[in-house]
Coordinates of all heavy atoms in Angstrom, one line a residue:
T1 N -167.7 122.8 179.5 CA -166.9 121.9 180.2 C -166.8 120.6 179.4 O -167.8 120.1 179.0 CB -167.5 121.6 181.6 OG1 -167.6 122.8 182.4 CG2 -166.6 120.6 182.4
S2 N -165.6 120.2 179.2 CA -165.4 119.0 178.3 C -164.6 118.0 179.0 O -163.7 118.3 179.8 CB -164.8 119.4 177.0 OG -163.5 119.9 177.1
L3 N -164.8 116.7 178.6 CA -164.1 115.6 179.2 C -163.7 114.7 178.0 O -164.5 114.4 177.2 CB -164.9 114.8 180.2 CG -164.3 113.5 180.7 CD1 -163.1 113.8 181.5 CD2 -165.3 112.7 181.5
E4 N -162.4 114.3 178.0 CA -161.9 113.4 176.9 C -161.1 112.3 177.5 O -160.2 112.5 178.4 CB -161.0 114.2 175.9 CG -160.5 113.4 174.8 CD -159.7 114.2 173.8 OE1 -159.1 115.2 174.3 OE2 -159.7 113.9 172.6
I5 N -161.4 111.1 177.1 CA -160.7 109.9 177.7 C -160.2 109.1 176.5 O -160.9 108.8 175.6 CB -161.6 109.0 178.5 CG1 -162.1 109.8 179.7 CG2 -160.9 107.8 179.0 CD1 -163.2 109.1 180.5
K6 N -158.9 108.8 176.5 CA -158.2 108.0 175.4 C -157.5 106.8 176.0 O -156.8 106.9 177.0 CB -157.2 108.8 174.6 CG -157.8 110.0 173.8 CD -156.7 110.7 173.1 CE -157.1 111.9 172.3 NZ -156.0 112.6 171.7
T7 N -157.7 105.7 175.3 CA -156.9 104.5 175.7 C -156.4 103.8 174.4 O -157.0 103.9 173.4 CB -157.8 103.5 176.5 OG1 -158.9 103.1 175.7 CG2 -158.3 104.0 177.8
K8 N -155.2 103.2 174.6 CA -154.6 102.5 173.4 C -154.2 101.1 173.7 O -153.6 100.8 174.8 CB -153.4 103.3 173.0 CG -152.7 102.8 171.7 CD -151.6 103.8 171.2 CE -151.0 103.3 169.9 NZ -149.9 104.2 169.5
T9 N -154.5 100.2 172.8 CA -154.2 98.8 173.0 C -152.8 98.5 172.4 O -152.3 99.2 171.6 CB -155.3 97.9 172.4 OG1 -155.1 98.0 170.9 CG2 -156.7 98.3 172.8
P10 N -152.2 97.3 172.8 CA -150.9 96.9 172.2 C -151.0 96.7 170.7 O -150.0 96.7 170.0 CB -150.6 95.6 172.9 CG -151.3 95.7 174.2 CD -152.6 96.4 173.9
S11 N -152.2 96.5 170.1 CA -152.4 96.2 168.7 C -152.7 97.5 167.9 O -153.3 97.4 166.8 CB -153.5 95.2 168.5 OG -154.7 95.6 169.1
N12 N -152.3 98.7 168.4 CA -152.5 100.0 167.8 C -153.9 100.4 167.5 O -154.2 101.1 166.6 CB -151.7 99.9 166.4 CG -150.2 99.9 166.6 OD1 -149.7 100.5 167.5 ND2 -149.5 99.2 165.7
V13 N -154.8 99.9 168.4 CA -156.2 100.4 168.4 C -156.4 101.4 169.5 O -156.1 101.1 170.6 CB -157.2 99.2 168.5 CG1 -158.6 99.7 168.5 CG2 -157.0 98.2 167.4
T14 N -156.9 102.6 169.1 CA -157.1 103.6 170.1 C -158.6 103.9 170.2 O -159.3 104.0 169.2 CB -156.4 104.9 169.7 OG1 -155.0 104.7 169.5 CG2 -156.6 106.0 170.7
F15 N -159.1 104.0 171.5 CA -160.5 104.3 171.8 C -160.5 105.7 172.4 O -159.7 106.0 173.3 CB -161.1 103.2 172.7 CG -161.2 101.9 172.1 CD1 -160.2 100.9 172.4 CD2 -162.2 101.6 171.2 CE1 -160.3 99.7 171.9 CE2 -162.3 100.3 170.7 CZ -161.3 99.3 171.0
R16 N -161.5 106.4 172.0 CA -161.6 107.8 172.5 C -163.1 108.1 172.8 O -164.0 107.8 172.0 CB -161.1 108.8 171.5 CG -161.4 110.3 171.8 CD -160.8 111.2 170.7 NE -161.3 112.5 170.9 CZ -162.4 113.0 170.4 NH1 -163.2 112.2 169.8 NH2 -162.7 114.3 170.6
V17 N -163.4 108.6 174.0 CA -164.7 109.1 174.4 C -164.6 110.6 174.8 O -163.7 110.9 175.6 CB -165.3 108.3 175.5 CG1 -166.7 108.8 175.9 CG2 -165.3 106.8 175.2
A18 N -165.4 111.4 174.2 CA -165.4 112.9 174.5 C -166.8 113.4 174.6 O -167.7 113.0 173.9 CB -164.6 113.6 173.4
G19 N -166.9 114.4 175.5 CA -168.2 115.0 175.7 C -168.0 116.4 176.2 O -167.0 116.8 176.8
T20 N -169.0 117.3 175.8 CA -168.9 118.7 176.1 C -170.3 119.2 176.6 O -171.3 118.9 175.9 CB -168.4 119.5 174.9 OG1 -167.2 119.1 174.5 CG2 -168.4 121.0 175.2
R21 N -170.3 119.9 177.6 CA -171.5 120.6 178.1 C -171.5 122.1 177.8 O -170.6 122.8 178.2 CB -171.7 120.4 179.6 CG -172.9 121.0 180.2 CD -172.9 120.8 181.7 NE -174.1 121.3 182.4 CZ -174.2 122.6 182.9 NH1 -173.2 123.4 182.8 NH2 -175.3 123.0 183.4
D22 N -172.4 122.5 177.0 CA -172.4 123.9 176.5 C -172.9 124.8 177.6 O -173.9 124.5 178.3 CB -173.3 124.0 175.2 CG -173.2 125.4 174.6 OD1 -172.3 125.6 173.8 OD2 -174.0 126.2 175.0
N23 N -172.3 125.9 177.8 CA -172.6 126.9 178.8 C -174.0 127.6 178.5 O -174.6 128.0 179.5 CB -171.5 127.9 179.0 CG -170.4 127.4 179.9 OD1 -170.6 126.4 180.6 ND2 -169.2 128.0 179.8
K24 N -174.3 127.8 177.3 CA -175.5 128.5 176.9 C -176.7 127.6 177.0 O -177.8 128.0 177.6 CB -175.4 129.2 175.5 CG -174.4 130.4 175.5 CD -174.4 131.0 174.1 CE -173.5 132.2 174.1 NZ -173.6 132.9 172.8
T25 N -176.7 126.5 176.3 CA -177.9 125.6 176.2 C -177.9 124.6 177.3 O -179.0 123.9 177.5 CB -177.9 124.9 174.8 OG1 -176.7 124.0 174.7 CG2 -177.8 125.9 173.7
Y26 N -176.8 124.4 178.0 CA -176.6 123.3 179.0 C -176.8 121.9 178.4 O -177.0 120.9 179.1 CB -177.6 123.5 180.1 CG -177.5 124.8 180.8 CD1 -178.4 125.8 180.6 CD2 -176.4 125.1 181.6 CE1 -178.3 127.1 181.2 CE2 -176.2 126.3 182.2 CZ -177.1 127.3 182.0 OH -177.0 128.5 182.6
G27 N -176.8 121.8 177.1 CA -176.9 120.5 176.4 C -175.5 119.9 176.4 O -174.5 120.5 176.4
I28 N -175.5 118.5 176.3 CA -174.3 117.7 176.3 C -174.2 117.0 175.0 O -175.1 116.3 174.6 CB -174.3 116.7 177.5 CG1 -174.3 117.5 178.8 CG2 -173.0 115.8 177.4 CD1 -174.3 116.5 180.0
S29 N -173.1 117.2 174.3 CA -172.8 116.5 173.0 C -171.5 115.8 173.2 O -170.6 116.1 174.0 CB -172.7 117.5 171.9 OG -171.6 118.4 172.1
G30 N -171.4 114.7 172.4 CA -170.1 113.9 172.5 C -170.0 112.9 171.4 O -170.9 112.8 170.5
D31 N -169.0 112.1 171.5 CA -168.8 111.1 170.5 C -168.0 109.9 171.0 O -167.2 110.1 172.0 CB -168.2 111.6 169.2 CG -166.8 112.3 169.4 OD1 -165.9 111.7 170.0 OD2 -166.7 113.5 169.0
L32 N -168.1 108.8 170.4 CA -167.4 107.6 170.7 C -166.6 107.2 169.5 O -167.2 107.1 168.4 CB -168.3 106.5 171.1 CG -167.7 105.1 171.3 CD1 -166.7 105.1 172.5 CD2 -168.8 104.0 171.6
E33 N -165.3 107.1 169.6 CA -164.4 106.9 168.4 C -163.5 105.7 168.6 O -162.9 105.5 169.7 CB -163.6 108.2 168.2 CG -162.7 108.2 167.0 CD -161.9 109.4 166.9 OE1 -162.4 110.4 166.4 OE2 -160.7 109.4 167.3
G34 N -163.3 105.0 167.6 CA -162.3 104.0 167.5 C -161.3 104.2 166.4 O -161.8 104.5 165.3
K35 N -160.0 104.0 166.6 CA -159.0 104.2 165.5 C -158.0 103.1 165.5 O -157.5 102.6 166.5 CB -158.3 105.5 165.7 CG -157.2 105.8 164.7 CD -156.4 107.1 165.1 CE -157.2 108.3 164.9 NZ -156.4 109.6 165.1
Y36 N -157.8 102.6 164.3 CA -156.8 101.6 164.0 C -155.7 102.1 163.1 O -156.0 102.7 162.1 CB -157.4 100.3 163.4 CG -156.4 99.3 162.9 CD1 -155.7 98.5 163.9 CD2 -156.1 99.2 161.6 CE1 -154.7 97.7 163.5 CE2 -155.1 98.3 161.2 CZ -154.4 97.5 162.1 OH -153.4 96.6 161.7
A37 N -154.5 102.0 163.6 CA -153.3 102.5 162.8 C -152.4 101.3 162.4 O -152.1 100.5 163.3 CB -152.6 103.5 163.6
D38 N -152.0 101.3 161.2 CA -151.0 100.4 160.7 C -149.8 101.2 160.1 O -149.8 101.5 158.9 CB -151.6 99.5 159.6 CG -150.6 98.4 159.1 OD1 -149.5 98.4 159.6 OD2 -151.0 97.7 158.1
P39 N -148.9 101.6 161.0 CA -147.8 102.5 160.5 C -146.9 101.9 159.4 O -146.4 102.6 158.6 CB -147.0 102.7 161.8 CG -147.9 102.4 162.9 CD -148.8 101.3 162.4

């Protein structure tokens, strides 16, 4: 089971939080990410 949340600011900065719960190990892994884009 995984959950992903993305938000974007008016200054082209995107934040992303994602997590996954493995069915076999029941462990939870995830990451916190920030992205800046200058098109």
Side-chain angles (χ1 to χ4, degrees):
T1 302
S2 65
L3 174 65
E4 182 180 29
I5 301 174
K6 295 180 182 180
T7 58
K8 188 174 182 180
T9 70
S11 56
N12 291 326
V13 177
T14 302
F15 296 99
R16 172 183 170 273
V17 181
T20 301
R21 180 180 182 270
D22 187 88
N23 280 341
K24 287 186 177 181
T25 64
Y26 302 108
I28 297 177
S29 61
D31 58 56
L32 172 64
E33 180 184 283
K35 177 186 290 187
Y36 170 73
D38 182 3

